[in-house]
Amino acid sequence: MAMSEAEVERARAAQLPDDDVVGVLLRQHARVRDLFADIQSTTGEHKKQAFDELRALLAVHETAEEMVLRPVTAEADRTVAEARNREEDEATQVLRVLEKMDVNSAEFDRRLAEFEKTVSDHAEHEESEEFPRIRAARTEDQLEHMGRRLRTAEKIAPTHPHPSTAGSPAAQWTIGPVASIIDRVRDAVRPSHRPPRGGRRA
């Protein structure tokens, strides 16, 4: 039986040190694929919770990439870096629309399916074009240092899409931490982010 794309990404990540930045991002790509599948296979509150997790993961993931990964990519190939930034900017615009929609509507499902294709294409571009350039440009020690920096950046990254900063590493560093504080307070007070009684968040 053929492995799914998420399984392939996890298998590739498992061959790398835990802190290797490429391995960290591959595991996140796999989780994103899992969440898309979860959203498309459920309804109601579980669907909303799964989408909230996807929205937060994508917002944090893309911000951290732009802060830590993209400047290194630009040193090796500015064209590739700019293409990935444009894709993330476009994805942020769509994610902002999706988070305002009713997750149980047919229109949401249609737009989510289109968005999944866009996100999948972006991940494949990173894995085939960007990650090899990163690995060629840095030693393993440097890649592990980048992985630790990425995790640190994720802790101060916004959890909601912010089109004003998307696609700009400089804006992510200057505006992102402020937006993150606002987002995390917002998340903490929203009832929809609390796990249902008798269970845990999906």
Side-chain angles (χ1 to χ4, degrees):
M1 182 177 177
M3 295 174 68
S4 68
E5 291 173 315
E7 289 170 335
V8 169
E9 287 164 341
R10 287 194 175 92
R12 290 173 58 195
Q15 297 174 358
L16 301 171
D18 287 345
D19 286 337
D20 184 292
V21 68
V22 172
V24 173
L25 293 172
L26 284 169
R27 286 190 290 274
Q28 291 180 358
H29 284 180
R31 181 57 183 157
V32 166
R33 295 186 195 278
D34 290 344
L35 286 168
F36 271 115
D38 195 17
I39 295 165
Q40 292 165 349
S41 65
T42 190
T43 59
E45 184 61 21
H46 184 102
K47 184 174 185 177
K48 179 68 168 63
Q49 290 179 348
F51 175 72
D52 282 347
E53 183 179 344
L54 175 68
R55 181 260 305 146
L57 175 56
L58 286 175
V60 166
H61 172 84
E62 292 176 0
T63 297
E65 281 187 333
E66 291 175 17
M67 294 169 77
V68 175
L69 194 73
R70 215 53 39 76
V72 177
T73 306
E75 291 176 12
D77 192 324
R78 183 164 295 278
T79 299
V80 169
E82 290 175 350
R84 299 297 80 78
N85 281 339
R86 281 195 303 273
E87 290 168 358
E88 290 179 356
D89 182 27
E90 292 166 2
T92 298
Q93 304 285 348
V94 177
L95 190 58
R96 189 173 179 84
V97 171
L98 283 168
E99 77 166 341
K100 295 177 180 179
M101 297 179 69
D102 175 3
V103 300
N104 293 303
S105 69
E107 179 64 10
F108 175 87
D109 290 341
R110 184 186 69 78
R111 288 190 176 226
L112 185 76
E114 294 174 353
F115 184 55
E116 180 183 22
K117 177 67 166 60
T118 298
V119 171
S120 179
D121 288 348
H122 173 68
E124 289 168 11
H125 292 157
E126 286 184 338
E127 293 173 19
S128 64
E129 299 173 17
E130 186 168 22
F131 292 176
R133 286 169 170 80
I134 293 290
R135 298 203 69 81
R138 294 292 186 267
T139 65
E140 186 52 58
D141 284 347
Q142 290 171 326
L143 291 168
E144 291 184 52
H145 178 66
M146 285 177 67
R148 291 188 289 271
R149 286 186 65 220
L150 188 92
R151 289 193 175 109
T152 299
E154 288 175 344
K155 294 177 182 176
I156 61 168
T159 59
H160 292 262
H162 291 272
S164 62
T165 62
S168 171
Q172 298 287 20
W173 277 107
T174 56
I175 302 172
V178 177
S180 174
I181 293 171
I182 296 170
D183 283 354
R184 291 169 195 267
V185 170
R186 172 184 172 189
D187 291 344
V189 300
R190 285 182 62 188
S192 63
H193 286 261
R194 297 171 189 157
R197 290 184 181 179
R200 61 182 179 82
R201 181 175 169 178

